[in-house]
Amino acid sequence: MSQEMIDLLVTGTWETLYMTVVSTAIAYVIGVPLGVVLYITGEGGIARNRAVNLVVGIVVNVLRSIPFLILLVAILPFTRLVVGTTIGSTATVVPLVVAAAPYVARMVESSLKEVDGGVIEAARAMGSSPWQIVVKVLIPEAGPSLLVGAAISLATILGYSAMAGFVGGGGLGAIAINYGYYRYQGDVMLATVALLAVIAQVFQEGGLKLVSKVDKRHR
């Protein structure tokens, strides 16, 4: 493998990390509030509202049901409107966020459902408002589960970012498609697969270690 290709793989790795981390961060900024709304307005929630729960649930489910590649192409005009282009790693962040935010919302909702109902009832008995229960009870109690979800989300979004290579998304996915697939360079394809696997493993292991530390402090 030439030095030029090695340099290209290094650049692709940084682009992939950039797309994955930035997309996940923005997806959580959007997805956490959505997940909280889904939980507190749902059956047995602390602020039940069937209409709100139904509307948010439908939006989340519709976006989650669209395969990423189709979603990526379908919102190209929106991507161009937001960042001014549809090519490159920055442009890929837009569809990644649109695809990941609903996924994160359901992950957050699932984590909140694991919180012991007795703790919530105790907080309500002490006169805590719904906002106080969310911030001081639900989020802290669900902390370890939320961190596990974040690690899983990072690995999932990493996979999405690789798919974006089919439409000029940049990163390791684009290198795998342009060189490994179209130019039949098997060594490049193997290298990109190996790098993606290593990044996913680092995300997973790092997340699990962080969860372990937080869980010990929580206890």
Side-chain angles (χ1 to χ4, degrees), residues 109-134:
E109 181 190 19
S110 177
S111 294
L112 296 179
K113 285 182 177 179
E114 296 176 9
V115 177
D116 185 2
V119 178
I120 299 173
E121 288 303 318
R124 297 180 75 171
M126 289 188 290
S128 299
S129 66
W131 171 252
Q132 289 174 324
I133 293 174
V134 169

Side-chain angles (χ1 to χ4, degrees), residues 30-194:
I30 299 171
V32 169
L34 286 176
V36 171
V37 169
L38 284 170
Y39 174 74
I40 67 174
T41 61
E43 189 71 27
I46 58 176
R48 286 187 62 186
N49 189 314
R50 183 173 174 77
V52 172
N53 188 267
L54 183 62
V55 171
V56 176
I58 289 174
V59 172
V60 167
N61 290 338
V62 168
L63 290 175
R64 285 187 66 201
S65 67
I66 304 174
F68 178 68
L69 280 178
I70 296 175
L71 176 66
L72 190 155
V73 175
I75 66 170
L76 283 177
F78 176 69
T79 300
R80 186 180 289 109
L81 178 66
V82 174
V83 297
T85 182
T86 58
I87 299 174
S89 54
T90 298
T92 304
V93 169
V94 177
L96 282 174
V97 170
V98 174
Y103 176 81
V104 169
R106 286 301 185 190
M107 294 278 284
V108 170
E109 181 190 19
S110 177
S111 294
L112 296 179
K113 285 182 177 179
E114 296 176 9
V115 177
D116 185 2
V119 178
I120 299 173
E121 288 303 318
R124 297 180 75 171
M126 289 188 290
S128 299
S129 66
W131 171 252
Q132 289 174 324
I133 293 174
V134 169
V135 175
K136 297 182 179 180
V137 179
L138 286 173
I139 300 297
E141 288 292 324
S145 180
L146 289 171
L147 287 174
V148 171
I152 295 172
S153 297
L154 276 168
T156 301
I157 295 171
L158 174 65
Y160 287 168
S161 73
M163 293 183 212
F166 275 105
V167 291
L172 292 172
I175 295 172
I177 299 301
N178 295 331
Y179 293 89
Y181 180 69
Y182 289 129
R183 300 187 186 183
Y184 304 103
Q185 294 182 233
D187 57 339
V188 175
M189 180 65 80
L190 288 173
T192 55
V193 170

Side-chain angles (χ1 to χ4, degrees), residues 9-25:
L9 286 170
V10 171
T11 301
T13 299
W14 283 114
E15 288 180 348
T16 295
L17 289 171
Y18 162 73
M19 290 187 292
T20 303
V21 174
V22 171
S23 299
T24 303

